[in-house]
mmCIF file of all heavy atoms in Angstrom:
data_model
loop_
_atom_site.group_PDB
_atom_site.id
_atom_site.type_symbol
_atom_site.label_atom_id
_atom_site.label_comp_id
_atom_site.label_asym_id
_atom_site.label_seq_id
_atom_site.Cartn_x
_atom_site.Cartn_y
_atom_site.Cartn_z
ATOM 1 N N ASN A 336 90.148 -58.455 -48.742
ATOM 2 C CA ASN A 336 89.182 -58.239 -49.833
ATOM 3 C C ASN A 336 89.705 -58.565 -51.186
ATOM 4 O O ASN A 336 89.218 -58.160 -52.154
ATOM 5 C CB ASN A 336 88.671 -56.756 -49.812
ATOM 6 C CG ASN A 336 89.851 -55.752 -50.058
ATOM 7 O OD1 ASN A 336 90.995 -56.099 -49.856
ATOM 8 N ND2 ASN A 336 89.374 -54.606 -50.558
ATOM 9 N N VAL A 337 90.764 -59.389 -51.231
ATOM 10 C CA VAL A 337 91.518 -59.612 -52.520
ATOM 11 C C VAL A 337 90.628 -60.212 -53.512
ATOM 12 O O VAL A 337 90.734 -59.833 -54.761
ATOM 13 C CB VAL A 337 92.763 -60.440 -52.330
ATOM 14 C CG1 VAL A 337 92.369 -61.854 -51.762
ATOM 15 C CG2 VAL A 337 93.611 -60.538 -53.544
ATOM 16 N N LEU A 338 89.652 -60.946 -53.208
ATOM 17 C CA LEU A 338 88.680 -61.523 -54.131
ATOM 18 C C LEU A 338 87.446 -60.702 -54.240
ATOM 19 O O LEU A 338 86.940 -60.469 -55.322
ATOM 20 C CB LEU A 338 88.370 -63.034 -53.782
ATOM 21 C CG LEU A 338 89.388 -64.050 -54.071
ATOM 22 C CD1 LEU A 338 89.029 -65.436 -53.500
ATOM 23 C CD2 LEU A 338 89.638 -64.171 -55.564
ATOM 24 N N HIS A 339 86.936 -60.289 -53.124
ATOM 25 C CA HIS A 339 85.649 -59.543 -53.120
ATOM 26 C C HIS A 339 85.750 -58.263 -53.843
ATOM 27 O O HIS A 339 84.698 -57.782 -54.418
ATOM 28 C CB HIS A 339 85.189 -59.325 -51.696
ATOM 29 C CG HIS A 339 84.010 -58.451 -51.603
ATOM 30 N ND1 HIS A 339 82.817 -58.761 -52.091
ATOM 31 C CD2 HIS A 339 83.919 -57.117 -51.050
ATOM 32 C CE1 HIS A 339 81.966 -57.741 -51.918
ATOM 33 N NE2 HIS A 339 82.569 -56.754 -51.309
ATOM 34 N N VAL A 340 86.870 -57.628 -53.907
ATOM 35 C CA VAL A 340 86.960 -56.316 -54.525
ATOM 36 C C VAL A 340 86.504 -56.315 -56.028
ATOM 37 O O VAL A 340 85.984 -55.416 -56.547
ATOM 38 C CB VAL A 340 88.392 -55.722 -54.471
ATOM 39 C CG1 VAL A 340 89.405 -56.464 -55.255
ATOM 40 C CG2 VAL A 340 88.461 -54.230 -54.788
ATOM 41 N N LEU A 341 86.754 -57.471 -56.644
ATOM 42 C CA LEU A 341 86.311 -57.683 -58.022
ATOM 43 C C LEU A 341 84.827 -57.678 -58.161
ATOM 44 O O LEU A 341 84.237 -57.049 -59.089
ATOM 45 C CB LEU A 341 86.851 -58.986 -58.539
ATOM 46 C CG LEU A 341 88.402 -59.208 -58.430
ATOM 47 C CD1 LEU A 341 88.810 -60.547 -58.936
ATOM 48 C CD2 LEU A 341 89.172 -58.036 -59.078
ATOM 49 N N ASP A 342 84.130 -58.367 -57.213
ATOM 50 C CA ASP A 342 82.655 -58.391 -57.266
ATOM 51 C C ASP A 342 82.062 -57.016 -56.858
ATOM 52 O O ASP A 342 81.101 -56.596 -57.554
ATOM 53 C CB ASP A 342 82.108 -59.365 -56.206
ATOM 54 C CG ASP A 342 82.595 -60.812 -56.506
ATOM 55 O OD1 ASP A 342 82.701 -61.154 -57.679
ATOM 56 O OD2 ASP A 342 82.797 -61.594 -55.501
ATOM 57 N N PHE A 343 82.791 -56.330 -56.010
ATOM 58 C CA PHE A 343 82.356 -55.041 -55.657
ATOM 59 C C PHE A 343 82.440 -54.086 -56.828
ATOM 60 O O PHE A 343 81.483 -53.281 -57.142
ATOM 61 C CB PHE A 343 83.187 -54.465 -54.497
ATOM 62 C CG PHE A 343 83.036 -53.067 -54.069
ATOM 63 C CD1 PHE A 343 81.797 -52.402 -54.206
ATOM 64 C CD2 PHE A 343 84.094 -52.310 -53.482
ATOM 65 C CE1 PHE A 343 81.646 -51.114 -53.782
ATOM 66 C CE2 PHE A 343 83.972 -51.006 -53.171
ATOM 67 C CZ PHE A 343 82.725 -50.407 -53.306
ATOM 68 N N HIS A 344 83.554 -54.096 -57.613
ATOM 69 C CA HIS A 344 83.725 -53.259 -58.690
ATOM 70 C C HIS A 344 82.608 -53.490 -59.748
ATOM 71 O O HIS A 344 82.023 -52.592 -60.284
ATOM 72 C CB HIS A 344 85.144 -53.592 -59.301
ATOM 73 C CG HIS A 344 85.530 -52.557 -60.415
ATOM 74 N ND1 HIS A 344 86.768 -52.749 -61.064
ATOM 75 C CD2 HIS A 344 84.891 -51.563 -61.018
ATOM 76 C CE1 HIS A 344 86.765 -51.824 -61.960
ATOM 77 N NE2 HIS A 344 85.690 -51.077 -61.978
ATOM 78 N N LYS A 345 82.325 -54.781 -60.088
ATOM 79 C CA LYS A 345 81.298 -55.134 -61.005
ATOM 80 C C LYS A 345 79.916 -54.721 -60.509
ATOM 81 O O LYS A 345 79.096 -54.200 -61.254
ATOM 82 C CB LYS A 345 81.273 -56.615 -61.301
ATOM 83 C CG LYS A 345 82.278 -56.994 -62.419
ATOM 84 C CD LYS A 345 81.959 -58.485 -62.818
ATOM 85 C CE LYS A 345 82.907 -58.903 -63.944
ATOM 86 N NZ LYS A 345 82.575 -60.266 -64.421
ATOM 87 N N GLU A 346 79.699 -54.937 -59.236
ATOM 88 C CA GLU A 346 78.427 -54.587 -58.647
ATOM 89 C C GLU A 346 78.072 -53.145 -58.845
ATOM 90 O O GLU A 346 76.944 -52.801 -59.328
ATOM 91 C CB GLU A 346 78.396 -54.900 -57.206
ATOM 92 C CG GLU A 346 77.125 -54.552 -56.414
ATOM 93 C CD GLU A 346 77.329 -54.681 -54.944
ATOM 94 O OE1 GLU A 346 78.102 -55.566 -54.477
ATOM 95 O OE2 GLU A 346 76.733 -53.940 -54.173
ATOM 96 N N TRP A 347 78.975 -52.203 -58.482
ATOM 97 C CA TRP A 347 78.730 -50.774 -58.629
ATOM 98 C C TRP A 347 78.637 -50.334 -60.042
ATOM 99 O O TRP A 347 77.844 -49.398 -60.367
ATOM 100 C CB TRP A 347 79.751 -50.005 -57.840
ATOM 101 C CG TRP A 347 79.321 -49.745 -56.393
ATOM 102 C CD1 TRP A 347 78.651 -50.563 -55.657
ATOM 103 C CD2 TRP A 347 79.384 -48.520 -55.755
ATOM 104 N NE1 TRP A 347 78.342 -49.901 -54.437
ATOM 105 C CE2 TRP A 347 78.779 -48.704 -54.503
ATOM 106 C CE3 TRP A 347 79.922 -47.252 -56.003
ATOM 107 C CZ2 TRP A 347 78.735 -47.660 -53.511
ATOM 108 C CZ3 TRP A 347 79.931 -46.245 -55.068
ATOM 109 C CH2 TRP A 347 79.248 -46.435 -53.796
ATOM 110 N N THR A 348 79.403 -51.003 -60.922
ATOM 111 C CA THR A 348 79.257 -50.708 -62.359
ATOM 112 C C THR A 348 77.906 -51.078 -62.932
ATOM 113 O O THR A 348 77.251 -50.249 -63.575
ATOM 114 C CB THR A 348 80.429 -51.425 -63.157
ATOM 115 O OG1 THR A 348 81.673 -50.972 -62.679
ATOM 116 C CG2 THR A 348 80.263 -51.046 -64.625
ATOM 117 N N GLU A 349 77.428 -52.224 -62.548
ATOM 118 C CA GLU A 349 76.149 -52.771 -63.080
ATOM 119 C C GLU A 349 74.979 -51.953 -62.398
ATOM 120 O O GLU A 349 73.904 -51.873 -63.052
ATOM 121 C CB GLU A 349 76.071 -54.294 -62.784
ATOM 122 C CG GLU A 349 77.003 -55.081 -63.589
ATOM 123 C CD GLU A 349 77.092 -56.512 -63.199
ATOM 124 O OE1 GLU A 349 76.474 -56.946 -62.132
ATOM 125 O OE2 GLU A 349 77.760 -57.281 -63.875
ATOM 126 N N LEU A 350 75.108 -51.420 -61.240
ATOM 127 C CA LEU A 350 74.117 -50.678 -60.626
ATOM 128 C C LEU A 350 74.091 -49.217 -61.173
ATOM 129 O O LEU A 350 73.184 -48.485 -60.837
ATOM 130 C CB LEU A 350 74.368 -50.603 -59.118
ATOM 131 C CG LEU A 350 73.982 -51.845 -58.364
ATOM 132 C CD1 LEU A 350 74.451 -51.675 -56.862
ATOM 133 C CD2 LEU A 350 72.554 -52.234 -58.381
ATOM 134 N N GLY A 351 75.127 -48.877 -62.018
ATOM 135 C CA GLY A 351 75.101 -47.533 -62.547
ATOM 136 C C GLY A 351 75.675 -46.491 -61.632
ATOM 137 O O GLY A 351 75.507 -45.294 -61.913
ATOM 138 N N LEU A 352 76.285 -46.911 -60.571
ATOM 139 C CA LEU A 352 76.833 -46.015 -59.552
ATOM 140 C C LEU A 352 78.213 -45.447 -59.989
ATOM 141 O O LEU A 352 78.673 -44.383 -59.470
ATOM 142 C CB LEU A 352 76.976 -46.654 -58.149
ATOM 143 C CG LEU A 352 75.622 -47.145 -57.574
ATOM 144 C CD1 LEU A 352 75.804 -47.879 -56.266
ATOM 145 C CD2 LEU A 352 74.744 -45.947 -57.372
ATOM 146 N N ILE A 353 78.912 -46.137 -60.823
ATOM 147 C CA ILE A 353 80.150 -45.679 -61.409
ATOM 148 C C ILE A 353 80.211 -46.289 -62.814
ATOM 149 O O ILE A 353 79.446 -47.080 -63.233
ATOM 150 C CB ILE A 353 81.414 -46.162 -60.601
ATOM 151 C CG1 ILE A 353 81.415 -47.753 -60.581
ATOM 152 C CG2 ILE A 353 81.522 -45.563 -59.264
ATOM 153 C CD1 ILE A 353 82.802 -48.347 -60.176
ATOM 154 N N LYS A 354 81.148 -45.657 -63.659
ATOM 155 C CA LYS A 354 81.564 -46.399 -64.836
ATOM 156 C C LYS A 354 82.823 -47.256 -64.515
ATOM 157 O O LYS A 354 83.483 -47.050 -63.568
ATOM 158 C CB LYS A 354 81.962 -45.414 -65.937
ATOM 159 C CG LYS A 354 80.812 -44.494 -66.363
ATOM 160 C CD LYS A 354 81.225 -43.551 -67.457
ATOM 161 C CE LYS A 354 79.968 -42.713 -67.816
ATOM 162 N NZ LYS A 354 80.406 -41.697 -68.927
ATOM 163 N N ALA A 355 82.991 -48.351 -65.200
ATOM 164 C CA ALA A 355 83.955 -49.323 -64.952
ATOM 165 C C ALA A 355 85.365 -48.691 -64.775
ATOM 166 O O ALA A 355 86.173 -49.169 -63.992
ATOM 167 C CB ALA A 355 83.975 -50.411 -65.951
ATOM 168 N N LYS A 356 85.593 -47.671 -65.579
ATOM 169 C CA LYS A 356 86.925 -47.056 -65.578
ATOM 170 C C LYS A 356 87.225 -46.255 -64.277
ATOM 171 O O LYS A 356 88.436 -45.912 -63.997
ATOM 172 C CB LYS A 356 87.096 -46.190 -66.847
ATOM 173 C CG LYS A 356 86.191 -44.895 -66.838
ATOM 174 C CD LYS A 356 86.361 -44.128 -68.097
ATOM 175 C CE LYS A 356 85.417 -42.926 -68.124
ATOM 176 N NZ LYS A 356 85.687 -42.007 -66.974
ATOM 177 N N ASP A 357 86.221 -45.931 -63.579
ATOM 178 C CA ASP A 357 86.302 -44.922 -62.489
ATOM 179 C C ASP A 357 86.649 -45.645 -61.172
ATOM 180 O O ASP A 357 85.937 -45.689 -60.180
ATOM 181 C CB ASP A 357 84.974 -44.217 -62.296
ATOM 182 C CG ASP A 357 84.664 -43.251 -63.424
ATOM 183 O OD1 ASP A 357 85.671 -42.808 -64.084
ATOM 184 O OD2 ASP A 357 83.522 -42.974 -63.705
ATOM 185 N N TRP A 358 87.894 -46.323 -61.280
ATOM 186 C CA TRP A 358 88.304 -47.162 -60.122
ATOM 187 C C TRP A 358 89.840 -47.017 -60.067
ATOM 188 O O TRP A 358 90.599 -47.048 -61.039
ATOM 189 C CB TRP A 358 87.924 -48.641 -60.489
ATOM 190 C CG TRP A 358 87.913 -49.498 -59.247
ATOM 191 C CD1 TRP A 358 89.005 -50.206 -58.737
ATOM 192 C CD2 TRP A 358 86.789 -49.842 -58.391
ATOM 193 N NE1 TRP A 358 88.603 -50.989 -57.682
ATOM 194 C CE2 TRP A 358 87.306 -50.714 -57.460
ATOM 195 C CE3 TRP A 358 85.468 -49.419 -58.385
ATOM 196 C CZ2 TRP A 358 86.447 -51.221 -56.469
ATOM 197 C CZ3 TRP A 358 84.657 -49.889 -57.354
ATOM 198 C CH2 TRP A 358 85.118 -50.786 -56.517
#
Side-chain angles (χ1 to χ4, degrees):
N336 65 336
V337 63
L338 285 173
H339 170 66
V340 69
L341 309 178
D342 298 329
F343 173 32
H344 188 180
K345 273 192 175 182
E346 175 190 329
W347 266 41
T348 302
E349 291 169 356
L350 288 172
L352 298 176
I353 59 166
K354 293 181 180 179
K356 65 180 180 61
D357 295 331
W358 199 272

